[in-house]
Amino acid sequence: MSRRAEVRVSVLDTSPIVAGSTARQALHNTVDLAKLADELGFHRYWVPEHHGMRGVASSAPAVLIDHLANATRHLRVGAGGVLLPNHPPIVIAEQFGTLEALHPGRIDLGLGRAPGGALSTVDTALGERDRTTEGFLRQLDELCGYLDPAENATIKAIPAVGNAPPIWLLGSSEASARLAGERGLPYAFARHLAPAAAVAATGTYRSLAPASRMLVSVSVIAADTDERAEWLAGSTRLKVLSRVRGNRIQLPSPQDAADYPYTDDDRAEIAERSGSVLVGSPETITKQLQSVLDDTGTEELMITTPVYEHADRRRSYELIASVAEQLRRSARAWSPS
């Protein structure tokens, strides 16, 4: 599989509320990280929609995107993603048409079909009857009609007329890849959620839409040494273990993770699920990300970094920026045989 000469890196940020912190602090951290990503040359900065989750502050993507676009200069800013079943399509068209009008050429509209939280919580955002009246495909068609309306359309999302941001379809399976490929839409594969499906899904998408854009989101914890990265990764490993055991917690500190009384079964569970997060020094991460590029054929990696301290998250992205440059140099030096 040929490698592309230009490798882009981007950011996926849930505005994590870690143990002992608040939504206010999490959102301020997101703004700070976006400014750093802008300075470091990252390409996009996406925030996802979630509802009623104690560890996630990114519940209102359109509001947050406007603030991030105002705080940065070069980044494309977008939703990764808006969960379309939760909203009337005309409202999404109006919101993102407004964003594109205010920040021309810098807005992305990523779309997903997951609820983004417990159904009992999501139903309070838009009632169950309204969410299930129309299927996702019909909603997608309706949204596209508002973003690119016919001249004689009786209903128009006025701010979106002439101000349509690009639509990306999000997914973590071959089904989502097939839908994006058949529609000729850019595709974002969530490897951080389903690493085992990455090769099949991206291969399906490339076969259907070889000229379309694709990115792959990857969970990465980078630190100056492998030992430091492994220490930081203890937080997310304990959080995953707790979720498997039926106890949802906010991201704990690395020290709390190290002090946890793990059983042999716990350690086996962690080892089985550890492949979703790439962990290590820049040298280690470079090899791991090169493998993702080779396996998926993507031109863009979107990085999410689940660590406890904001300073460690900043440092991880600084190191990833240097890794990205190394990947670009390798791609430019490589040519097909």
Side-chain angles (χ1 to χ4, degrees):
M1 182 182 300
S2 63
R3 286 183 279 178
R4 301 177 186 271
E6 183 60 29
V7 177
R8 289 173 167 170
V9 288
S10 297
V11 179
L12 177 64
D13 183 7
T14 62
S15 299
I17 308 170
V18 302
S21 189
T22 64
R24 179 190 295 270
Q25 186 59 56
L27 292 168
H28 282 287
N29 288 346
T30 284
V31 176
D32 179 72
L33 186 61
K35 291 178 179 177
L36 176 65
D38 201 34
E39 295 169 2
L40 292 173
F42 282 77
H43 185 55
R44 304 178 206 275
Y45 201 105
W46 282 5
V47 292
E49 175 187 345
H50 291 286
H51 299 286
M53 299 178 71
R54 290 190 306 146
V56 177
S58 63
S59 299
V63 178
L64 187 52
I65 287 166
D66 184 59
H67 194 76
L68 295 176
N70 282 320
T72 57
R73 297 181 57 194
H74 307 293
L75 285 170
R76 295 193 63 91
V77 187
V82 165
L83 303 177
L84 191 53
N86 296 343
H87 309 281
I90 192 170
V91 173
I92 301 306
E94 290 169 341
Q95 289 178 350
F96 280 79
T98 299
L99 287 167
E100 177 67 21
L102 293 172
H103 310 285
R106 295 184 59 205
I107 303 300
D108 294 324
L109 173 52
L111 299 175
R113 68 174 82 191
L119 290 179
S120 58
T121 300
V122 175
D123 280 346
T124 66
L126 190 66
E128 181 179 0
R129 181 188 62 81
D130 296 318
R131 286 194 299 107
T132 57
T133 297
E134 297 178 333
F136 181 82
L137 293 180
R138 190 175 300 178
Q139 288 181 300
L140 177 60
D141 288 338
E142 184 181 345
L143 176 61
C144 291
Y146 290 131
L147 294 175
D148 185 21
E151 187 64 33
N152 62 349
T154 56
I155 300 175
K156 294 183 178 180
I158 299 302
V161 177
N163 299 304
I167 290 178
W168 288 71
L169 286 190
L170 280 57
S172 56
S173 68
E174 283 193 77
S176 61
R178 188 171 297 107
L179 174 59
E182 290 172 349
R183 293 296 182 103
L185 292 172
Y187 180 54
F189 178 79
R191 185 195 179 279
H192 70 288
L193 299 178
V199 173
T202 54
T204 295
Y205 179 73
R206 289 196 319 275
S207 69
L208 294 170
S212 295
R213 289 171 293 169
M214 176 177 65
L215 66 81
V216 174
S217 62
V218 187
S219 186
V220 179
I221 297 175
D224 290 283
T225 65
D226 287 338
E227 293 75 17
R228 175 67 177 172
E230 288 291 336
W231 166 260
L232 296 176
S235 298
T236 192
R237 289 169 179 163
L238 177 55
K239 184 176 180 180
V240 169
L241 176 67
S242 297
R243 184 173 68 243
V244 171
R245 300 290 188 246
N247 179 28
R248 292 186 175 272
I249 63 173
Q250 293 173 306
L251 191 71
S253 71
Q255 187 62 59
D256 286 343
D259 292 341
Y260 186 83
Y262 298 98
T263 66
D264 290 341
D265 285 345
D266 290 340
R267 297 185 188 281
E269 189 75 53
I270 289 172
E272 181 179 345
R273 297 175 182 272
S274 61
S276 62
V277 185
L278 308 185
V279 179
S281 64
E283 294 76 13
T284 300
I285 294 298
T286 298
K287 295 174 184 177
Q288 293 173 326
L289 289 181
Q290 185 63 71
S291 180
V292 174
L293 291 171
D294 291 341
D295 288 344
T296 64
T298 188
E299 68 234 23
E300 184 171 348
L301 298 168
M302 178 166 275
I303 308 299
T304 184
T305 297
V307 296
Y308 180 79
E309 292 286 356
H310 183 59
D312 290 320
R313 197 158 67 125
R314 283 177 57 96
R315 181 58 179 158
S316 184
Y317 280 102
E318 289 172 346
L319 295 173
I320 289 166
S322 67
V323 166
E325 183 53 39
Q326 178 60 42
L327 293 172
R328 293 185 192 105
R329 286 198 296 268
S330 297
R332 285 193 291 266
W334 181 90
S335 60
S337 57

